[in-house]
Amino acid sequence: MYSSSPTSMTANGSDTKKQRLDESPPSRVLHIRKLPNEVSETEVIALGLPFGKVTNILMLKGKNQAFLELGTEEAAITMVNYYTAVTPQVRNTPVFIQYSNHKELKTDSALNQRAQAVLQAVSAVQDGSSPSSDPGVLDLAPPPSPVLRIIIDNMFYPVTLDVLQQIFSKFGTVMKIITFTKNNQFQALLQFSDPVNAQQAKLSLDGQNIYNSCCTLRIDFSKLVNLNVKYNNDKSRDYTRPDLPTGDGESANKDHSLLGTPSGALASYSSGGGYSNSLSLSQGGGAISPLSAAAAAAAAAGRVALSGSGVSGVLLASNLNEEMVTPQSIFTLFGVYGDVQRVKILYNKKDSALIQLSDGNQAQLAMSHLNGQKVFGKVMRVTLSKHQTVALPREGLDDQLLTKDFSGSPLHRFKKPGSKNFQNIFPPSATLHLSNVRDGVGEDDLRLLFSNSGGTVKAFKFFQDRKMALIQMTSVEEAIQTLMELHNYDMGGNHHLKVSFSKSTI
């Protein structure tokens, strides 16, 4: 997406007229392009907030562009280098950031009044004072609490306490985190050492996705001003008290005394137990960008260990169409969400099957996407099994071939760490994404292939290179059926068709 060096950064493609900017030396003024329509000043300022003080902004709304001035050239260099490695996004749209030829911004305050008011308010928050801007333009009161309440919407992938700590610590010292489930939603209370850091994190992260197109952060200030953490485990952590016992994760989650008391003065804060207050931009060690999903892709589909969570990697699928399903078709469908190791159709109950995936995260992911889906005319039920593994039958005892071991299968989508497949996990949909299409295979061939699998093709679209395509069936059920039948279909010449669900429509 970028051609980049430590001192310059421009977009490729249709922007050849900008080529002269390739040689632009570092400047504390940054030029931001390809912004979405109706973008707000606050959203643009939020791009720069984690890197230091934002001192000026100029919005060019008609051109979908903006200029952002940071307090120092070092801050601007850090920001450009960071966004070279991690695609910056505003409202889920990639934007382009490069050094400007301007060394500072001179803005006409009359023409740029709103932007200046927003900037003044944000600066006041950064400085810890109250904004003196016209409250009619932007009401940004001083932060009421160092504690944020975080709700994760659209949670397709597990989000752990460690993931939250990595994201939020970019804005200051995270002292304590408590996670819990309320109204079937994953929520967290997170305490910074300073209310100003909480305000900056809320401004930058509210509405952002942790992973591609999902796990959206909804952030508010909590009425609590101090969290009382009793245990350091998967559910809660006090980073200032490494000596706390691990306790029992379950009881820690249910103990409401953990949540402290809403009344009372702000507690006096320690230095955060030696945790650095500076912004770490290291891309190593699994650091996760607050503004992009790509860096977190591997963590998303089960590379973040839920240590000690005790979630089995085995699922029980029931209410299956026993005339139609086979271990192979179950492997293909559940393999969209994880690496299936073994499948056993139950001998005495052939409308049910046990499916063993690589780990508990993949099992939860498959269950959340597939439970309640219609497969071969019946609504499938998927639950976590009490079994830890699927046992293989003794040799010669499985005469009906109801059990199959797929542990050595070359068709596992997630075996390779950092694979692109981690970024392309979507719920079942009527539109399928096809890849590895053989040269010379045309639209008519593919329409015929998918029609013959028992579905009706509503729409079709080739990608530019004709190695990939989108094909839309009339229903999600049809799409599931054709995926089960045609994923890994041999097109000849060592070309096996790859089929997955798409988030796009045609």
Side-chain angles (χ1 to χ4, degrees):
M1 183 159 278
Y2 299 118
S3 65
S4 57
S5 70
T7 58
S8 72
M9 175 177 180
T10 60
N12 294 329
S14 60
D15 286 63
T16 45
K17 63 183 179 181
K18 302 282 182 192
Q19 216 65 49
R20 59 191 174 79
L21 290 173
D22 275 1
E23 289 79 40
S24 291
S27 161
R28 66 192 185 101
V29 180
L30 298 176
H31 185 196
I32 304 170
R33 297 180 293 117
K34 302 282 179 75
L35 288 163
N37 293 330
E38 307 304 319
V39 69
S40 71
E41 289 83 353
T42 311
E43 288 169 293
V44 175
I45 292 170
L47 286 171
L49 267 186
F51 304 92
K53 195 170 175 64
V54 176
T55 49
N56 210 344
I57 180 173
L58 176 64
M59 301 287 288
L60 305 174
K61 291 205 170 174
K63 294 184 172 181
N64 298 82
Q65 298 181 17
F67 289 93
L68 199 65
E69 180 187 277
L70 278 80
T72 64
E73 198 173 280
E74 288 74 25
I77 292 170
T78 305
M79 181 171 164
V80 166
N81 287 348
Y82 180 64
Y83 286 134
T84 305
V86 175
T87 308
Q89 295 199 353
V90 176
R91 299 192 184 190
N92 288 334
T93 306
V95 297
F96 299 84
I97 300 175
Q98 63 198 59
Y99 296 115
S100 166
N101 283 336
H102 303 288
K103 288 296 173 195
E104 63 176 292
L105 277 184
K106 293 189 172 71
T107 50
D108 182 328
S109 57
L111 292 174
N112 205 30
Q113 194 174 7
R114 180 184 160 78
Q116 291 302 311
V118 174
L119 185 65
Q120 195 180 348
V122 172
S123 299
V125 169
Q126 281 184 305
D127 296 339
S129 61
S130 60
S132 58
S133 59
D134 175 3
V137 179
L138 181 80
D139 182 18
L140 198 58
S145 164
V147 180
L148 295 175
R149 185 183 66 136
I150 301 153
I151 296 174
I152 313 272
D153 274 347
N154 205 13
M155 189 164 142
F156 289 155
Y157 306 132
V159 174
T160 63
L161 184 145
D162 292 324
V163 168
L164 291 175
Q165 196 270 339
Q166 285 177 340
I167 295 170
F168 282 82
S169 61
K170 290 184 168 45
F171 298 88
T173 304
V174 174
M175 299 183 69
K176 304 170 186 179
I177 305 176
I178 295 169
T179 64
F180 54 97
T181 302
K182 186 177 177 183
N183 301 332
N184 286 331
Q185 271 189 315
F186 179 82
Q187 301 191 20
L189 293 168
L190 183 144
Q191 181 175 334
F192 279 101
S193 61
D194 191 318
V196 170
N197 301 139
Q199 175 79 291
Q200 290 174 351
K202 181 178 182 298
L203 266 174
S204 290
L205 295 177
D206 188 28
Q208 294 284 355
N209 294 331
I210 299 178
Y211 303 131
N212 278 343
S213 309
C214 71
C215 298
T216 308
L217 291 162
R218 303 281 174 225
I219 303 171
D220 282 308
F221 285 107
S222 169
K223 292 189 174 71
L224 308 171
V225 292
N226 186 29
L227 300 178
N228 177 24
V229 176
K230 291 186 175 179
Y231 303 113
N232 282 340
N233 55 29
D234 290 335
K235 306 278 195 329
S236 60
R237 195 81 48 85
D238 185 337
Y239 295 97
T240 69
R241 297 274 314 277
D243 56 312
L244 286 177
T246 54
D248 170 13
E250 276 303 302
S251 66
N253 202 19
K254 289 170 183 161
D255 185 350
H256 295 292
S257 67
L258 278 176
L259 305 185
T261 168
S263 58
L266 285 173
S268 62
Y269 299 113
S270 73
S271 63
Y275 281 77
S276 163
N277 200 18
S278 63
L279 169 69
S280 163
L281 292 170
S282 151
Q283 285 300 293
I288 290 179
S289 150
L291 302 171
S292 162
R303 293 297 183 265
V304 173
L306 286 167
S307 56
S309 62
V311 175
S312 156
V314 179
L315 296 172
L316 173 66
S318 55
N319 201 37
L320 301 170
N321 184 330
E322 57 188 89
E323 304 295 322
M324 302 296 289
V325 296
T326 62
Q328 183 65 48
S329 64
I330 292 171
F331 165 80
T332 303
L333 178 58
F334 281 77
V336 172
Y337 301 107
D339 291 338
V340 175
Q341 304 299 311
R342 293 175 181 175
V343 176
K344 178 193 281 286
I345 293 174
L346 302 186
Y347 183 80
N348 292 325
K349 203 172 185 312
K350 292 193 174 64
D351 70 344
S352 299
L354 291 170
I355 302 111
Q356 181 181 334
L357 290 103
S358 290
D359 59 42
N361 289 349
Q362 292 186 0
Q364 285 185 312
L365 195 58
M367 179 174 71
S368 68
H369 284 307
L370 294 175
N371 181 38
Q373 294 292 345
K374 212 169 185 189
V375 182
F376 295 123
K378 295 182 76 175
V379 175
M380 177 171 67
R381 293 283 163 234
V382 183
T383 56
L384 288 170
S385 166
K386 61 179 185 292
H387 296 281
Q388 294 301 310
T389 58
V390 170
L392 292 173
R394 277 178 298 185
E395 216 166 316
L397 290 183
D398 187 21
D399 54 352
Q400 295 183 30
L401 304 176
L402 297 177
T403 305
K404 190 154 185 196
D405 185 0
F406 294 98
S407 55
S409 171
L411 299 182
H412 287 153
R413 296 179 190 239
F414 307 105
K415 201 158 44 182
K416 191 173 154 198
S419 158
K420 272 187 182 167
N421 291 333
F422 285 120
Q423 299 168 46
N424 295 315
I425 301 173
F426 302 111
S429 59
T431 306
L432 297 168
H433 180 275
L434 315 182
S435 59
N436 208 29
V437 177
R438 187 182 172 184
D439 285 346
V441 172
E443 178 177 339
D444 290 345
D445 302 316
L446 289 167
R447 277 178 175 268
L448 185 63
L449 179 65
F450 277 75
S451 300
N452 287 343
S453 292
T456 306
V457 177
K458 255 179 86 175
F460 182 93
K461 180 182 159 190
F462 258 125
F463 285 67
Q464 214 167 353
D465 60 2
R466 297 182 72 82
K467 287 185 171 56
M468 294 194 289
L470 293 175
I471 191 161
Q472 191 172 335
M473 311 305 289
T474 50
S475 67
V476 175
E477 185 185 358
E478 277 188 10
I480 288 173
Q481 200 169 313
T482 49
L483 179 141
M484 288 163 86
E485 195 164 323
L486 295 175
H487 176 61
N488 203 45
Y489 178 82
D490 188 352
M491 304 183 83
N494 204 24
H495 270 71
H496 288 82
L497 185 67
K498 304 286 177 238
V499 185
S500 51
F501 297 114
S502 172
K503 64 174 179 179
S504 309
T505 49
I506 306 170

